[in-house]
Amino acid sequence: MASGWFGSSSNDPRRPPDVRVQVAEQKPHDFYLQPGSSASRSATNRSAASAPSAYVDTTHSMTHVQNASLFDVGILKDTLVPSLTLHSGLALIAYGAARYTDRVEAKDWLWPSGQVVNAWWSAVGRRLAQGYTVSQAFGRLSWHERVILTGVTLWGGRLFYRIARRSIQRGEDDPRYAEVKKEEGFWNSALFKVFIPEAFFQMLISLPFTAPFRHEGAVMTGYHPFVQMFAVGLFSSGLALETLADYQLDQFKAGGNKGIMREGVWSIVRNPNYLGDALVHISFIVMLYGSDMLAPIELLGPAANYAFLRFFGGDAEKEKHQKRRYSASQPDKFRELEKFRADKNAFWPSADELSNKWLWTVLGVGGLGIAVEQTLRALY
């Protein structure tokens, strides 16, 4: 039930906390050592007779119960099935648009936007449909839930703008999809081979920012303000890494360079944009854990995102396309790519990157993000 060394007390709520932490102007955060520790064993024995069976959290928009039933099949009904229905419906629309325009990249437009739509519908839209006013719907959200919703919106909005802008400027389908469209009967099977599978991944990836607003169930306990700050820093670093990677690549191409981009954050790993994306999604579950809101099934979110980036799309698909394209028509660029592959890791930085100034720049942005979030929290 509890996670780590600290957890919410399952004893008499009148018992004084073992540790009290206050950050800036926030309200004090009380921590109780787990019942098995020597410091709390005597207090546990004194109040065991009156201990309730579960602690019910009422500080968030949904009721979260902290008990032994951390794996709840009810989430299939209230979260997974509605999410899959939403993403499948959007995938069907994207498939129709893609087939009509002969541009598979329509699914890429849907990747960030569909997840943002799902998050907002889960957190706010459903409440409006139930008759709540806008202020009432937002009023039900705790600070941590608003931080998560803001983070999803920033991530998805930036990525959607990036994808849409490149697509419009290019005026034709992404070159990565040119080969697959040559397969016989591609469009007749694309809905079930490409679009619906990605909808399934989106359902899983969106769990950390849909389930907390939909599912009334058990969560891992422990309120950790410093874990919350770490989550904000992780998100800020990840978003900065994504943004810098895309900006620097655009500048590199605009300068007429024809080689492989290896400067800036591209000197950290070969795919800094995908690494940044992974860090963003990991930050959501870290925030949930530090806010008494993490259910074990939500760990599938960043795991599914990582699997997709590494093995189904992302850097695996990108480098496969680059290798095939450059080896056939650009031998010099292919040799440069092979050297890049030998020098730098694809996804996770090596220990050698500790001396890379761009790594510390990205981490510095993470620290700045923490300062901004803490300032806003103190003000509002």
Side-chain angles (χ1 to χ4, degrees):
M1 175 183 70
S3 53
W5 287 100
F6 297 100
S8 297
S9 174
S10 61
N11 305 313
D12 190 334
R14 292 170 297 180
R15 171 192 159 196
D18 295 301
V19 180
R20 171 167 287 179
V21 178
Q22 183 171 6
V23 180
E25 299 299 325
Q26 301 177 30
K27 67 179 182 180
H29 306 297
D30 295 339
F31 297 91
Y32 297 85
L33 294 177
Q34 290 189 357
S37 65
S38 59
S40 62
R41 189 177 295 112
S42 59
T44 301
N45 292 335
R46 287 195 302 270
S47 59
S50 61
S53 60
Y55 168 77
V56 179
D57 161 37
T58 58
T59 61
H60 302 103
S61 64
M62 296 296 292
T63 301
H64 301 299
V65 182
Q66 293 152 0
N67 58 26
S69 302
L70 286 174
F71 300 94
D72 185 357
V73 295
I75 200 169
L76 287 170
K77 180 179 179 180
D78 59 31
T79 303
L80 293 177
V81 171
S83 287
L84 183 59
T85 301
L86 172 64
H87 286 296
S88 297
L90 294 174
L92 185 60
I93 295 173
Y95 169 74
R99 184 160 188 169
Y100 179 76
T101 59
D102 194 36
R103 295 176 70 166
V104 182
E105 66 181 5
K107 70 181 183 63
D108 296 338
W109 289 53
L110 180 60
W111 184 265
S113 59
Q115 294 183 59
V116 172
V117 167
N118 196 1
W120 275 90
W121 173 254
S122 299
V124 178
R126 294 184 312 114
R127 301 299 181 190
L128 298 180
Q130 293 169 359
Y132 287 78
T133 65
V134 174
S135 60
Q136 288 173 335
F138 276 100
R140 290 177 60 90
L141 301 178
S142 68
W143 174 264
H144 317 103
E145 291 169 328
R146 295 182 186 188
V147 168
I148 290 174
L149 191 58
T150 300
V152 174
T153 305
L154 289 174
W155 164 79
R158 189 211 72 85
L159 185 56
F160 179 81
Y161 172 77
R162 165 74 176 174
I163 292 171
R165 180 170 173 266
R166 290 183 65 187
S167 177
I168 293 171
Q169 289 179 341
R170 189 169 50 241
E172 59 184 11
D173 207 356
D174 191 312
R176 292 177 298 169
Y177 305 132
E179 290 295 323
V180 297
K181 287 193 297 185
K182 294 179 182 178
E183 298 175 4
E184 184 177 356
F186 167 76
W187 283 114
N188 293 332
S189 60
L191 176 62
F192 299 102
K193 287 185 176 180
V194 179
F195 288 80
I196 294 300
E198 289 201 7
F200 181 78
F201 268 103
Q202 290 169 38
M203 173 202 68
L204 294 178
I205 293 170
S206 63
L207 272 171
F209 40 88
T210 55
F213 304 113
R214 286 178 171 271
H215 182 58
E216 296 184 9
V219 292
M220 300 170 70
T221 65
Y223 192 89
H224 306 272
F226 294 109
V227 174
Q228 295 169 9
M229 287 189 279
F230 175 71
V232 172
L234 193 62
F235 172 86
S236 302
S237 292
L239 189 65
L241 188 57
E242 279 191 279
T243 305
L244 283 171
D246 289 340
Y247 173 77
Q248 291 173 349
L249 182 61
D250 287 344
Q251 294 298 109
F252 180 78
K253 292 180 177 179
N257 296 289
K258 302 297 183 182
I260 300 295
M261 175 60 172
R262 302 187 59 171
E263 305 298 326
V265 294
W266 294 85
S267 65
I268 302 174
V269 290
R270 299 200 305 271
N271 300 284
N273 46 352
Y274 296 137
L275 172 59
D277 189 271
L279 295 180
V280 164
H281 284 271
I282 292 172
S283 74
F284 295 140
I285 62 165
V286 176
M287 175 60 79
L288 291 175
Y289 172 72
S291 307
D292 280 353
M293 296 168 62
L294 179 63
I297 195 172
E298 290 158 6
L299 295 171
L300 286 175
N305 185 62
Y306 179 78
F308 186 85
L309 289 176
R310 296 308 312 275
F311 307 114
F312 297 95
D315 71 303
E317 181 182 50
K318 169 192 165 186
E319 294 198 351
K320 180 180 178 181
H321 167 73
Q322 287 179 327
K323 187 174 181 179
R324 180 176 62 248
R325 181 182 177 187
Y326 299 158
S327 62
S329 59
Q330 298 174 275
D332 291 340
K333 196 169 184 178
F334 177 70
R335 285 191 292 271
E336 190 176 352
L337 175 64
E338 290 297 291
K339 187 177 187 307
F340 192 26
R341 289 166 59 91
D343 293 342
K344 298 291 181 179
N345 289 347
F347 203 87
W348 297 108
S350 67
D352 295 337
E353 303 308 327
L354 289 174
S355 60
N356 191 321
K357 68 177 183 179
W358 284 103
L359 176 64
W360 294 103
T361 299
V362 169
L363 293 177
V365 175
L368 180 61
I370 294 174
V372 171
E373 189 268 342
Q374 288 294 301
T375 300
L376 292 175
R377 185 186 297 214
L379 293 175
Y380 299 102

